Amino acid sequence: MRQFTGQRAWLMQRLSALALLAAAAALAGFLLAAGPPDYHTWAAFARHPLGGTLILAVAAALCLHGWVGARDVALDYIHRPWLRLAVLALAASALGLVFLRVLLALARVF
Amino acid sequence: MARAAAASRRKAVSAVGGRLDPARLPRFLNLFAIRFPVGALVSIGHRISGVCLLLFVPWAPDLLSRSLRGQAEYDALAAALRSPWAEPLVFVFLWAFCFHLLAGIRHLLMDAGLGARLRTARASARIVLALALLAALALLIAWRAA
């Protein structure tokens, strides 16, 4: 769990931010060039090994980034120990579940 | 409120012959009466927009799996997201996304030592505040047209 606190969390927040920034830039580029995708374009992208991996990587970066942010906010503003622990546990399990459900959604179409 | 704070601060100063008496300084924690410097607005806005975005994240897997469940489901989802009911939520999402992204880029640039001087930091903070709103509005218009 040491990976998820302290200086490593700080570093992970920056690295995941850069990954999400790259994903947002790629998405913006695609939308500007080709407009919103229709179902077949989108499904073909998600089924492709590379597309699926990219979606999964974005989900991982999003969950890690969300975790560090939620943790920072909870540690700064929630002072009652039991409430802080409850919020941190809720954030961690919700984000973990999000990643698993993305994995399942991709596995179903792969 | 500001005048009351200044008056009570004067009282605290004069009470100990010109020196500040910490015990008599006003406790002034009404956030709505404090005038935030523009950098502080961007800082707290970064957090607020981050929490907003976090609240959207649990919906993402559902949107993903529904969008991949077939043509009909994809079209229904696209129509639902463009309905007038969804529009306020879409706007909140777009604003939070634009603000968090721009404030985050500003933050990363400062980590790299760029734009950390007060004058440029204030200028970039104003740019983030204005540009996030403009970009969110532009994206909302594009969303409606798409």
Side-chain angles (χ1 to χ4, degrees):
Chain A
M1 287 311 277
R2 287 240 323 276
Q3 277 82 337
F4 298 112
T5 55
Q7 195 184 22
R8 289 192 191 169
W10 183 93
L11 186 64
M12 193 149 57
Q13 186 178 43
R14 268 71 184 171
L15 292 177
S16 56
L18 288 174
L20 293 170
L21 194 60
L27 179 67
F30 175 84
L31 289 177
L32 282 174
D38 61 8
Y39 169 69
H40 292 288
T41 314
W42 168 237
F45 175 77
R47 276 200 192 96
H48 195 279
L50 191 62
T53 309
L54 280 173
I55 293 175
L56 208 57
V58 167
L62 188 65
C63 290
L64 288 174
H65 194 79
W67 162 249
V68 181
R71 176 183 153 274
D72 285 350
V73 169
L75 293 186
D76 280 353
Y77 302 121
I78 303 176
H79 302 300
R80 281 179 218 179
W82 62 269
L83 186 61
R84 179 188 277 184
L85 188 64
V87 168
L88 286 174
L90 180 70
S93 48
L95 288 169
L97 198 62
V98 162
F99 183 75
L100 281 180
R101 288 178 62 207
V102 168
L103 195 63
L104 283 177
L106 288 172
R108 208 178 300 132
V109 295
F110 192 66
Chain B
M1 281 307 258
R3 193 181 300 171
S8 83
R9 187 174 296 123
R10 267 199 302 281
K11 217 183 289 169
V13 171
S14 60
V16 282
R19 275 176 304 145
L20 287 176
D21 174 8
R24 297 193 62 174
L25 277 172
R27 298 260 173 120
F28 198 58
L29 292 174
N30 181 353
L31 292 179
F32 295 101
I34 294 175
R35 274 184 47 182
F36 285 94
V38 68
L41 281 179
V42 171
S43 181
I44 193 66
H46 198 180
R47 291 200 149 185
I48 292 171
S49 57
V51 171
C52 282
L53 290 173
L54 209 50
L55 296 178
F56 284 101
V57 170
W59 295 0
D62 196 45
L63 292 179
L64 177 69
S65 69
R66 279 172 68 187
S67 76
L68 291 172
R69 218 169 277 164
Q71 177 85 58
E73 193 85 21
Y74 181 89
D75 292 340
L77 193 60
L81 288 177
R82 281 195 186 78
S83 79
W85 297 103
E87 194 148 283
L89 274 180
V90 169
F91 182 72
V92 169
F93 174 79
L94 291 175
W95 173 81
F97 179 79
C98 294
F99 193 102
H100 202 77
L101 189 94
L102 291 170
I105 291 172
R106 177 174 175 269
H107 211 313
L108 286 173
L109 289 175
M110 283 193 184
D111 278 353
L114 293 166
R117 299 178 66 117
L118 189 58
R119 270 173 67 94
T120 36
R122 283 204 174 134
S124 64
R126 283 199 190 88
I127 291 171
V128 167
L129 286 172
L131 200 58
L133 201 57
L134 288 177
L137 286 170
L139 285 175
L140 187 68
I141 290 167
W143 177 260
R144 276 188 196 154

